């Protein structure tokens, strides 16, 4: 498909474990975003990549969270020493150019549950 | 602090009638506003947007109105259809960056 894809769709882990969440943006989109959505709330910004570099990581809650995009396409969000409060849906979005320059297109999300 | 607020968590409307969803914001530096629709277990889907230099944008059954002086926008869906039942998020972009600030969402239920 031509949309944003995220894997896995669901991830259950134990407190203290390490997890990686993957995002495949729309082909050709240079901008990539990670958001986190907790129950009953809207998505909250975590980090924004323009190409390979993190242009804005001001939304990362603490240093247990890290994200990379080494080749300017696929991105991985990494969470160390997971805590129960990290449980949420992690959404990835990408943005292209042209007439849709301001519009972000979201993937289906990864539901993370920390037991 | 919540810069984008959707004060109605839910809305129930009869099929064929108008749905009106409201959104308020506090940051005068927002220059672009978007509405997203979300079904369960799916990611948000872009619906319609409006630039801060406009006061209305229409796309088929969907119209977004922007009142900058009141820092208020609304989404009108006419006529409402059962497939419109979903959670609707209002989002705003700051003029100096590209991240989006979202409201908490309004769950719309269209009754047959």
């Amino acid at each position: 498909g031509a949309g944003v894809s995220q894997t896995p769709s669901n991830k259950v882990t134990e407190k203290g474990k390490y997890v990686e969440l993957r995002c495949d943006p729309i082909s050709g989109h240079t901008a990539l975003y990670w958001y986190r959505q907790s129950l009953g709330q809207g998505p909250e910004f975590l980090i924004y990549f323009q190409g390979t570099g993190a242009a804005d990581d001001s939304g990362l809650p603490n240093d247990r969270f890290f994200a990379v995009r080494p080749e300017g396409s696929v991105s991985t969000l990494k969470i160390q020493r997971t805590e129960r409060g990290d449980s949420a849906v992690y959404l990835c979005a990408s943005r292209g150019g042209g007439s849709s320059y301001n519009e972000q297109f979201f993937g289906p999300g990864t539901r993370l549950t920390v037991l | 602090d919540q810069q984008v607020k959707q004060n109605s968590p839910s809305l129930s409307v009869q099929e064929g009638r108008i749905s009106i969803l409201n959104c308020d914001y506090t940051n005068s530096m927002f220059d672009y506003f978007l509405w997203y629709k979300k079904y369960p277990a799916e990611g948000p889907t872009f619906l319609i947007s409006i630039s801060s230099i406009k006061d209305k944008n229409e796309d088929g059954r969907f119209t977004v109105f922007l009142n900058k002086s009141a820092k208020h926008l609304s989404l009108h869906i006419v006529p409402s259809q059962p497939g419109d039942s979903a959670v609707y998020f209002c989002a705003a972009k700051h003029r100096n960056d590209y991240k989006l600030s979202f409201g908490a969402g309004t769950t719309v239920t269209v009754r047959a």
Side-chain angles (χ1 to χ4, degrees):
Chain A
V4 178
S5 63
Q6 292 186 246
T7 54
S9 55
N10 282 284
K11 177 69 177 179
V12 180
T13 191
E14 293 179 344
K15 180 176 178 295
K17 298 288 189 182
Y18 168 82
V19 296
E20 289 189 351
L21 312 179
R22 176 189 166 106
C23 172
D24 238 304
I26 293 172
S27 178
H29 280 193
T30 57
L32 184 146
Y33 303 78
W34 284 98
Y35 292 83
R36 178 168 73 172
Q37 185 177 12
S38 300
L39 195 61
Q41 299 180 22
E44 293 180 294
F45 170 77
L46 294 176
I47 187 169
Y48 157 48
F49 287 90
Q50 182 59 46
T52 60
D56 183 351
D57 65 357
S58 62
L60 295 177
N62 52 60
D63 61 5
R64 295 187 299 104
F65 288 76
F66 189 71
V68 295
R69 195 186 185 199
E71 297 178 356
S73 178
V74 171
S75 176
T76 304
L77 178 65
K78 307 180 181 192
I79 310 174
Q80 298 177 322
R81 304 183 305 280
T82 52
E83 300 177 356
R84 293 194 179 87
D86 299 336
S87 296
V89 176
Y90 289 81
L91 294 162
C92 176
S94 68
R95 176 174 59 82
S99 60
S100 62
Y101 193 65
N102 284 313
E103 294 153 14
Q104 297 180 22
F105 298 88
F106 284 82
T110 294
R111 179 175 297 279
L112 176 66
T113 303
V114 182
L115 302 176
Chain B
D1 64 334
Q2 194 75 7
Q3 298 186 71
V4 178
K5 297 180 182 178
Q6 294 176 257
N7 292 319
S8 297
S10 63
L11 171 70
S12 180
V13 63
Q14 192 165 12
E15 182 178 4
R17 303 281 190 166
I18 184 171
S19 294
I20 300 177
L21 291 79
N22 293 302
C23 178
D24 296 292
Y25 61 96
T26 56
N27 194 331
S28 58
M29 299 293 279
F30 288 146
D31 70 344
Y32 201 82
F33 303 89
L34 307 91
W35 284 93
Y36 283 84
K37 175 179 177 180
K38 185 181 183 304
Y39 293 119
E42 295 183 12
T45 302
F46 170 74
L47 195 57
I48 192 170
S49 61
I50 188 167
S51 166
S52 61
I53 63 173
K54 298 190 174 182
D55 55 18
K56 177 182 176 181
N57 187 27
E58 189 172 352
D59 183 1
R61 296 187 297 115
F62 303 91
T63 303
V64 57
F65 296 92
L66 175 63
N67 183 333
K68 282 182 64 178
S69 61
K71 294 190 175 67
H72 176 84
L73 63 156
S74 61
L75 173 67
H76 293 208
I77 307 173
V78 182
S80 299
Q81 299 174 354
D84 296 332
S85 295
V87 179
Y88 290 79
F89 291 101
C90 172
K93 185 193 82 64
H94 192 282
R95 64 186 291 180
N96 291 333
D97 61 45
Y98 286 98
K99 61 189 177 191
L100 297 179
S101 298
F102 283 83
T106 297
T107 300
V108 172
T109 303
V110 179
R111 310 185 310 272

